[in-house]
Amino acid sequence: QMAKGHSYFHSSSVEVSPDNRYGLFAIDTVGRRIYEFLIKDLTTGDLLPDRITGVTGNAEWATDSQTIFYSRQDPETLRADRIFRHTLGSMPDNDFLVYEEKDETFSCHLEKTKSDKFLVIHCESTLTNEARILHSDQPDGEFKVFEPRLRKHEYQIDHIGDRFYILSNLNARNFKLMSASET
């Protein structure tokens, strides 16, 4: 039904808020992976007036079910380079820039850890990674660097229980798995 009148239509990135009240989804009617976020109240079936345009389609909810973090791309290169914070009911033009990747060889995206306790900004280039973390129940907080980028150091993190799990190629030709407490 939403595709009517468009020569191209793609929907993706369905994210349900932690309280199961809202569903966020992305639509692309251009075909360049330039999406618009729509938010549906799942109790009433109504779309909220919060429409966030010019986004990558990558988003995550904070624990409060009122805050969304999402990424935007450079309009020419389509490189995902900025992460914003949106509060339901506010104007998207006032969304807060929480991170900007200035190195043109890196792109960035968001995800939540398996524990849902942390939001992670992953910054990635061909041979180097960096992660920034934020407690998902502190959406107004500041993302902190997990491990600073080091040329040719690739790593991925996740959080389960009370520990971080790190897959890293540092001093490990075929990667190694490590763990660390969250403190």
Side-chain angles (χ1 to χ4, degrees), residues 1-4 6-15 23-40 47 51 55-58:
Q1 189 177 31
M2 292 180 79
K4 285 182 184 175
H6 297 286
S7 60
Y8 178 86
F9 184 87
H10 182 255
S11 178
S12 71
S13 301
V14 177
E15 296 289 339
L24 169 107
F25 60 100
I27 60 170
D28 174 8
T29 58
V30 178
R32 292 196 68 218
R33 296 184 309 248
I34 300 172
Y35 291 89
E36 175 180 23
F37 283 130
L38 303 173
I39 304 161
K40 188 173 192 171
L47 288 175
R51 292 176 82 100
V55 297
T56 66
N58 173 232

Side-chain angles (χ1 to χ4, degrees), residues 86-99:
H86 175 77
T87 303
L88 292 185
S90 67
M91 296 297 298
D93 291 346
N94 298 328
D95 288 355
F96 184 76
L97 175 66
V98 296
Y99 180 73

Side-chain angles (χ1 to χ4, degrees), residues 137-170:
D137 63 354
Q138 298 172 9
D140 292 332
E142 184 179 329
F143 281 86
K144 304 284 186 202
V145 174
F146 186 85
E147 176 69 25
R149 59 184 73 167
L150 175 66
R151 185 164 159 68
K152 295 187 177 182
H153 180 207
E154 297 175 75
Y155 73 94
Q156 298 172 357
I157 65 168
D158 210 334
H159 182 269
I160 302 168
D162 63 351
R163 300 196 66 76
F164 282 101
Y165 291 87
I166 306 112
L167 186 64
S168 170
N169 72 342
L170 189 63

Side-chain angles (χ1 to χ4, degrees), residues 16-23 40-44 48 65-66:
V16 177
S17 62
D19 65 1
N20 293 313
R21 177 161 181 202
Y22 301 107
K40 188 173 192 171
D41 185 325
L42 300 176
T43 60
T44 66
L48 300 184
S65 296
Q66 296 295 305

Side-chain angles (χ1 to χ4, degrees), residues 61-157:
W61 289 93
T63 306
D64 66 2
S65 296
Q66 296 295 305
T67 308
I68 301 163
F69 290 88
Y70 63 91
S71 60
R72 287 191 187 273
Q73 67 269 62
D74 179 281
E76 289 182 31
T77 65
L78 301 182
R79 176 180 70 93
D81 62 351
R82 291 164 289 149
I83 307 294
F84 286 85
R85 180 180 66 226
H86 175 77
T87 303
L88 292 185
S90 67
M91 296 297 298
D93 291 346
N94 298 328
D95 288 355
F96 184 76
L97 175 66
V98 296
Y99 180 73
E100 181 173 12
E101 180 54 65
K102 297 192 186 259
D103 186 331
E104 293 180 0
T105 64
F106 281 78
S107 62
C108 57
H109 69 277
L110 288 156
E111 71 179 14
K112 236 184 207 178
T113 59
K114 293 201 184 317
S115 66
D116 289 333
K117 192 170 182 178
F118 292 91
L119 293 159
V120 181
I121 297 174
H122 291 283
C123 304
E124 301 172 334
S125 72
T126 305
L127 298 172
T128 306
N129 299 60
E130 181 179 72
R132 296 167 181 267
I133 60 172
L134 174 70
H135 280 269
S136 60
D137 63 354
Q138 298 172 9
D140 292 332
E142 184 179 329
F143 281 86
K144 304 284 186 202
V145 174
F146 186 85
E147 176 69 25
R149 59 184 73 167
L150 175 66
R151 185 164 159 68
K152 295 187 177 182
H153 180 207
E154 297 175 75
Y155 73 94
Q156 298 172 357
I157 65 168

